[in-house]
Amino acid sequence: MTTLDALLRDKVLLLDGGMGTQIFARQPTVEDYGSAALEGCVDLLTERRPQWIREIHESYFRAGADAVETNTFGANPLVLADFGLAAKAFELNVQAAALAKEVARSFDRPRFVIGSVGPGTKLITLGHVSYGDLLASYRIQMDGLLEGGADAILIETCQDLGQIKVAVRAAREAMAARRQKVPLWVQATVETTGTLLVGSDISAVLTSLEPLGIDVLGLNCATGPDEMHAHLQTLSEASPFHLSCLPNAGLPMNVNGQVVYPLDPARFAPKVLHAATEFGIAILGGCCGTTPDHIRALAAGVEKLNAPQRAPKLERSAASLYQSVALRQEPAPLIVGERTNANGSKKFRDLLAAEDWDGMIALAKEQQREGAHLLDLCVAYVGRDEVRDADELLSRLISQITLPLMIDSTESPVIEKALQRSPGKCVINSINFEDGEAKPRQILELCKTYGAAVVALTIDERGMAKSREQKLAIAKRLYALAVAEYGLDPGDLIIDPLTFTLGSGDEEFRGSAVETLEALKLIKAELPGVMTILGVSNVSFGLNPASRHVLNALMLYHGVRHGLDMAIFNASKVIPVAKIDPEDRRIVEDLIFNRRAEGYDPLKSVLARFSDRKAAVVEEHRADLPVLERLRRGILDGEKQAILADVDEALQDHDPLQLINEVLLGAMKVVGERFGAGEMQLPFVLESAEAMKAAIRRIEPQLPKESNYQKGRILLATVKGDVHDIGKNLVDIILSNNGFEVRNLGIKQPIEAILKELAVWPADAIGLSGLLVKSTVIMKENLHFMEGQALKVPVILGGAALTRDYVEGDCRRAYSGAVLYAEDAFEGLRHMQALVAGESSVPAPAPTTSTAGEIRILRRVALRCPLRPRARAAGCTMNSPRRNHPSGACASWLIRQQTSSSTWTSLPCCATAGASLRAP
């Protein structure tokens, strides 16, 4: 019997194309869904219209697909609950897998069924759903797919690193419960910004999933094959898993209320096949906009491809939500910031006692700025609930810090809660054999379940190892347990040979530093691949600050020379060895290497030499800045705590209205530009918005009664039949934190309900949101209805399926009031600011001399245009290209400045700026 794994060893596997594309081509009606309340629940159509789903599967198999995906993209209880169908989740998954299996068996050669598991509608990383609820929901879906006979599980279109890890765990648990193993595939969705929706780059995804032992890692959705190249190259060079690539049929365009994908089969197939050859991709197929004809075109080329051969090289790394950090740094060592540890930092401990979460985050950010690579996080404090404190702090910290975390605790419940909160790959600190092997086994089990590296201390039942031989012996025992028994990669085992203070004068520990250094050398020689770490500052405990800085710096220097990979250290206190006074260095090194002689004790010499010397004061650069610059940086960096003191200081000499209009709003404009350019991830944007909100609240009481500062009002709603609200909720956050009053009506809102709310809560604008293609049509119908009611309230439209051309063309013609397109939350913010200020925010009409297709294609070039930052910095949006450009070359750009005059300005051709771009 041929299996999927066997097939992948012999050939490139061909999957199907878009399921939703084929379903919506049949134009399902309310009758097909069963009621208006169920409209849009395509997963229900497996039960309501099974013949449709059967025909779709058959069409892809006849086109040459080796496998098809089940119609279960949203068939988990959390998504189905929006339709009142949570209880049907298991049943729908069984039905969908069984139906696809039935179709597969009707073909002669082996055909397979892949259980499709989508991302859902709630982001765990942003706190929309709890870990336990998401795990339980996915577990029901996995059980159903396996019961129905799925040959593999595909967790696809992933937008949130935390969600992927939960879904992987649910699949593993379902397989274990059934004593059944099928391949587990994951496909992430990288947006045009270059990251997942929540800001993770593809390296962070790879680092976080690699310890979980999946079988396939690839990309699907969001973009066409061209935009996937850089990310596929990263995976090709480093991923130990089979690669998959299921792109859309190009970047979508909205033409007359219909989504059109520009790549027909003849243009789609060569691009995907080229990527397969270049990057060694093992699984090909299509996503949105692809049809059986696209798969048929791919099939002809796939037959000519050999099974890919790659030689990936994966660096052992840790990862935050955003980025991956190699554990082996060049130059060494990797620095672990130690100031977010309640056991070692009095400042952090005091902040914890006061439950000043923002203050603790500010301290973490300081370490990030000072050059730490990882953060050591410990909230153990006598008399406090460590599990609660870890949860409270991490719920805020994970989205505000780009550095990976070292979870420092000895308690398994604390470690597990921290791992559930942390979406990337953490390092656990630590395990040892002080009380035997039971506790290390508990923690190693958590490392395997959640995908974490672990620090292991050279301590056994007899206590802390003192000699190099004892340290090595315990290190070997740790290796046998973690690597040989639990299967951790050697690079995820980080041995800490420990060091003792040289400041006590205790004879037993006079040689402890040199024993530690020699142990480092032995561990690296005899346990290939393992990493080493040291809490360097322990060596100087008890000495005065001046001597500690020198001793720590030299211990770090010699540690690296003996094989130290990582150091828990305050990066801001590192003294370059070259700057140490030669005589200081000589006597401190005598202390480290225990070079005593008759009449000479290096410890006494160190104590005498540094007795009257003060440690260098670390400069606080932020305090030296002018107050308005501090305010600006407070917004850019999301410093909610620091910004309040800066506001109070600024109000002493500056007009409150000036602070809002010029400083704060100016800084938020920069945030918007960085977000639009892909230079600032979403959670950081939200932190900036929170800082903005805090600042405005502080300033408002100081505003004169007659000031022209106004809070605008907006009603937000997801249109009828659409349950997607992530984007709308982000708009809510950005607007409300910039001083606007927002009433968020939720999902599936008919226009009658929206207007009824408007009557009792008059607003400056209505914001309509939707993700589905059908939602764009409903938006236009809503505008027709409002026109019939003789309304003039401005309407702002946003959503993934919308384009500027459709909104500023078809939608605007349906309504005589202002109709505005918001590509993202910040364009919505600019529209609201203009409306409240009485300025026109309506763009000039798109020229009729260019087709929508031309405009869209040229905009794609603009996204990579070197002049884009200049345009964005001017507060502009790319609009219509000139038509008189050479065929196939970049055009000059006409951009509209966001001013009341709505003037148009021409930017020079990209070629004149030295670019070598060609239009797609």
Side-chain angles (χ1 to χ4, degrees):
M1 177 181 176
T2 304
T3 64
L4 270 174
D5 288 337
L7 204 65
L8 282 170
R9 287 194 293 270
D10 297 333
K11 66 179 296 259
V12 172
L13 189 76
L14 184 59
L15 287 189
D16 55 1
M19 170 63 75
T21 301
Q22 297 304 294
I23 287 176
F24 287 114
R26 288 163 168 77
Q27 299 182 333
T29 64
V30 170
E31 182 182 351
D32 294 316
Y33 289 110
S35 74
L38 301 176
E39 192 174 6
C41 184
V42 295
D43 308 283
L44 186 61
L45 295 176
T46 304
E47 178 178 285
R48 297 279 306 168
R49 297 292 182 262
Q51 188 56 33
W52 288 7
I53 309 304
R54 182 176 286 106
E55 290 169 356
I56 292 169
H57 290 326
E58 288 174 346
S59 67
Y60 281 123
F61 278 137
R62 283 196 296 269
D66 297 301
V68 296
E69 299 169 51
T70 56
N71 180 38
T72 53
F73 185 79
N76 69 67
L78 282 173
V79 177
L80 292 173
D82 289 326
F83 300 97
L85 297 175
K88 289 182 70 69
F90 179 79
E91 178 186 350
L92 287 174
N93 281 280
V94 174
Q95 289 174 353
L99 187 153
K101 197 76 174 175
E102 177 188 327
V103 176
R105 287 172 179 152
S106 69
F107 285 80
D108 293 336
R109 68 182 178 87
R111 296 291 204 278
F112 299 93
V113 171
I114 314 300
S116 170
V117 179
T121 57
K122 302 180 189 303
L123 301 176
I124 184 173
T125 296
L126 296 185
H128 298 165
V129 61
S130 73
Y131 187 97
D133 287 346
L134 188 60
L135 179 63
S137 180
Y138 274 131
R139 175 62 191 275
I140 290 171
Q141 181 170 20
M142 304 299 180
D143 284 336
L145 290 170
L146 294 173
E147 178 70 21
D151 299 299
I153 299 294
L154 170 59
I155 301 164
E156 62 162 307
T157 322
C158 298
Q159 305 164 351
D160 183 342
L161 191 46
Q163 168 260 326
I164 304 175
K165 295 179 70 176
V166 174
V168 168
R169 179 180 178 184
R172 290 282 184 229
E173 291 184 353
M175 291 182 209
R178 297 175 58 87
R179 297 183 180 178
Q180 174 186 3
K181 189 176 187 305
V182 301
L184 183 53
W185 302 358
V186 172
Q187 287 177 167
T189 293
V190 180
E191 306 289 338
T192 53
T193 59
T195 68
L196 275 61
L197 177 64
V198 296
S200 312
D201 65 26
I202 197 63
S203 294
V205 175
L206 174 57
T207 294
S208 302
L209 297 187
E210 183 271 336
L212 301 181
I214 61 176
D215 300 285
V216 172
L217 179 58
L219 304 177
N220 80 298
C221 206
T223 67
D226 290 341
E227 294 79 11
M228 290 183 173
H229 270 226
H231 316 301
L232 288 171
Q233 182 174 356
T234 297
L235 293 179
S236 179
E237 292 171 353
S239 174
F241 312 120
H242 291 302
L243 303 187
S244 66
C245 176
L246 279 74
N248 292 346
L251 292 170
M253 302 177 294
N254 190 314
V255 180
N256 298 323
Q258 298 295 317
V259 169
V260 176
Y261 289 87
L263 296 182
D264 59 24
R267 288 191 292 165
F268 176 80
K271 291 176 179 291
V272 176
L273 293 168
H274 174 74
T277 303
E278 184 174 358
F279 302 121
I281 299 171
I283 300 168
L284 300 178
C287 201
C288 302
T290 58
T291 66
D293 288 338
H294 287 82
I295 301 307
R296 188 172 290 107
L298 272 180
V302 164
E303 291 299 321
K304 302 173 185 177
L305 297 178
N306 296 319
Q309 300 294 321
R310 294 185 298 115
K313 295 181 180 179
L314 179 69
E315 285 187 307
R316 303 316 302 174
S317 304
S320 66
L321 171 62
Y322 303 108
Q323 65 181 15
S324 179
V325 174
L327 297 179
R328 194 181 309 278
Q329 291 287 315
E330 293 293 341
L334 176 145
I335 298 293
V336 182
E338 64 179 355
R339 295 171 63 205
T340 44
N341 186 321
N343 290 325
S345 168
K346 182 180 183 302
K347 182 176 181 180
F348 185 79
R349 187 164 57 248
D350 291 345
L351 291 168
L352 178 61
E355 297 195 2
D356 186 349
W357 311 113
D358 289 340
M360 287 181 267
I361 290 168
L363 193 58
K365 288 181 177 180
E366 280 183 30
Q367 292 186 96
Q368 182 171 287
R369 288 191 292 266
E370 289 165 356
H373 300 99
L374 266 67
L375 288 183
D376 183 66
L377 186 69
C378 176
V379 291
Y381 195 158
V382 175
R384 293 190 60 85
D385 184 338
E386 190 179 353
V387 174
R388 173 189 171 272
D389 286 343
D391 192 45
E392 287 284 352
L393 180 56
L394 284 167
S395 67
R396 299 163 171 84
L397 188 67
I398 57 167
S399 63
Q400 298 184 50
I401 295 293
T402 61
L403 301 183
L405 298 176
M406 177 177 283
I407 306 302
D408 194 337
S409 178
T410 60
E411 302 302 317
S412 295
V414 177
I415 294 170
E416 181 157 28
K417 177 58 72 174
L419 289 171
Q420 289 178 357
R421 275 292 186 188
S422 306
K425 178 184 174 184
C426 295
V427 178
I428 302 305
N429 186 6
S430 59
I431 61 171
N432 64 71
F433 295 129
E434 183 176 11
D435 298 314
E437 294 190 0
K439 200 164 197 177
R441 288 180 181 277
Q442 287 180 0
I443 294 174
L444 287 170
E445 196 64 49
L446 293 176
C447 291
K448 289 294 290 181
T449 299
Y450 293 93
V454 66
V455 173
L457 311 181
T458 53
I459 303 174
D460 66 8
E461 294 84 352
R462 296 169 296 174
M464 297 172 66
K466 298 181 180 65
S467 71
R468 65 193 75 177
E469 294 83 9
Q470 290 173 329
K471 293 175 188 288
L472 177 63
I474 298 175
K476 287 182 175 180
R477 184 181 169 191
L478 290 162
Y479 185 95
L481 181 65
V483 177
E485 184 173 341
Y486 276 86
L488 263 66
D489 186 281
D492 286 338
L493 176 62
I494 306 164
I495 302 292
D496 186 345
L498 302 171
T499 191
F500 299 85
T501 180
L502 297 177
S504 68
D506 191 325
E507 188 63 32
E508 184 182 5
F509 300 118
R510 282 300 191 103
S512 61
V514 70
E515 289 301 312
T516 296
L517 294 174
E518 292 301 321
L520 285 169
K521 188 183 295 184
L522 290 172
I523 289 167
K524 296 296 285 187
E526 299 200 27
L527 297 176
V530 302
M531 307 295 287
T532 56
I533 191 170
L534 201 60
V536 175
S537 57
N538 289 339
V539 76
S540 64
F541 186 76
L543 298 174
N544 73 2
S547 58
R548 291 197 74 181
H549 288 179
V550 176
L551 177 52
N552 291 346
L554 288 167
M555 185 66 181
L556 180 65
Y557 169 75
H558 288 290
V560 170
R561 297 188 71 185
H562 282 74
L564 182 65
D565 298 301
M566 306 165 65
I568 302 176
F569 207 76
N570 185 346
S572 69
K573 301 289 179 67
V574 176
I575 300 175
V577 171
K579 290 188 176 182
I580 296 175
D581 177 86
E583 183 60 18
D584 289 350
R585 177 172 178 174
R586 183 187 67 78
I587 63 170
V588 170
E589 286 183 334
D590 285 347
L591 178 62
I592 290 172
F593 291 99
N594 196 24
R595 297 170 184 153
R596 287 182 289 175
E598 188 173 347
Y600 173 60
D601 184 343
L603 176 58
K604 292 180 180 178
S605 297
V606 167
L607 293 173
R609 186 168 181 85
F610 290 92
S611 61
D612 298 323
R613 199 181 303 179
K614 292 184 178 179
V617 177
V618 179
E619 293 181 355
E620 179 54 67
H621 298 292
R622 191 179 189 281
D624 297 334
L625 296 172
V627 65
L628 297 187
E629 179 60 20
R630 295 204 304 273
L631 269 181
R632 178 179 174 276
R633 291 197 184 186
I635 296 294
L636 296 179
D637 296 337
E639 297 280 7
K640 289 179 290 185
Q641 185 184 49
I643 203 167
L644 296 180
D646 294 332
V647 166
D648 291 341
E649 182 180 339
L651 284 171
Q652 296 176 18
D653 301 306
H654 295 84
D655 177 66
L657 210 55
Q658 177 203 5
L659 295 180
I660 292 176
N661 292 333
E662 296 180 15
V663 182
L664 300 180
L665 291 178
M668 280 304 294
K669 179 181 177 183
V670 175
V671 171
E673 290 162 0
R674 290 180 178 178
F675 177 65
E679 298 169 357
M680 194 172 189
Q681 296 102 333
L682 178 60
F684 291 105
V685 170
L686 301 184
E687 285 307 308
S688 292
E690 288 284 348
M692 180 74 173
K693 182 177 184 178
I696 286 180
R697 281 181 175 173
R698 194 71 148 217
I699 293 173
E700 275 182 327
Q702 306 300 319
L703 290 172
K705 298 276 187 178
E706 66 278 6
S707 79
N708 61 3
Y709 173 71
Q710 295 176 294
K711 275 187 175 179
R713 280 180 160 195
I714 185 170
L715 277 174
L716 291 179
T718 301
V719 296
K720 182 179 70 173
D722 199 321
V723 298
H724 299 88
D725 62 355
I726 292 173
K728 171 176 61 64
N729 292 342
L730 296 177
V731 173
D732 184 346
I733 293 169
I734 295 298
L735 289 177
S736 61
N737 288 1
N738 275 270
F740 290 94
E741 292 184 69
V742 180
R743 186 159 291 186
N744 191 333
L745 302 182
I747 61 174
K748 299 193 292 183
Q749 292 294 315
I751 187 62
E752 295 84 358
I754 297 170
L755 296 182
K756 182 178 179 181
E757 187 66 25
L758 181 69
V760 299
W761 197 76
D764 297 286
I766 293 173
L768 299 179
S769 173
L771 182 69
L772 303 176
V773 175
K774 185 174 182 179
S775 298
T776 67
V777 179
I778 291 174
M779 288 177 184
K780 188 166 75 169
E781 292 172 354
N782 289 349
L783 293 170
H784 275 299
F785 184 86
M786 292 175 67
E787 182 70 12
Q789 302 294 310
L791 294 170
K792 297 295 181 184
V793 59
V795 179
I796 302 174
L797 303 179
L802 286 169
T803 65
R804 193 175 301 277
D805 301 314
Y806 176 65
V807 171
E808 295 178 359
D810 292 31
C811 292
R812 190 168 292 163
R813 286 191 288 271
Y815 182 59
S816 55
V819 179
L820 309 168
Y821 172 67
E823 182 181 24
D824 54 36
F826 282 97
E827 189 164 6
L829 173 62
R830 289 194 295 272
H831 287 320
M832 285 301 297
Q833 288 168 340
L835 289 170
V836 171
E839 300 173 0
S840 169
S841 187
V842 181
T848 57
T849 53
S850 294
T851 67
E854 282 179 303
I855 292 171
R856 180 61 186 174
I857 289 170
L858 289 169
R859 267 205 201 110
R860 288 178 57 194
V861 179
L863 292 177
R864 292 170 287 164
C865 173
L867 299 174
R868 186 184 183 212
R870 171 177 157 189
R872 287 216 176 248
C876 308
T877 54
M878 312 290 182
N879 207 299
S880 173
R882 293 176 175 173
R883 283 183 57 79
N884 60 347
H885 61 84
S887 177
C890 282
S892 297
W893 297 102
L894 291 174
I895 61 171
R896 181 180 59 77
Q897 294 181 338
Q898 296 280 3
T899 65
S900 58
S901 60
S902 294
T903 56
W904 294 77
T905 306
S906 175
L907 282 180
C909 175
C910 291
T912 66
S916 57
L917 289 169
R918 303 291 292 179

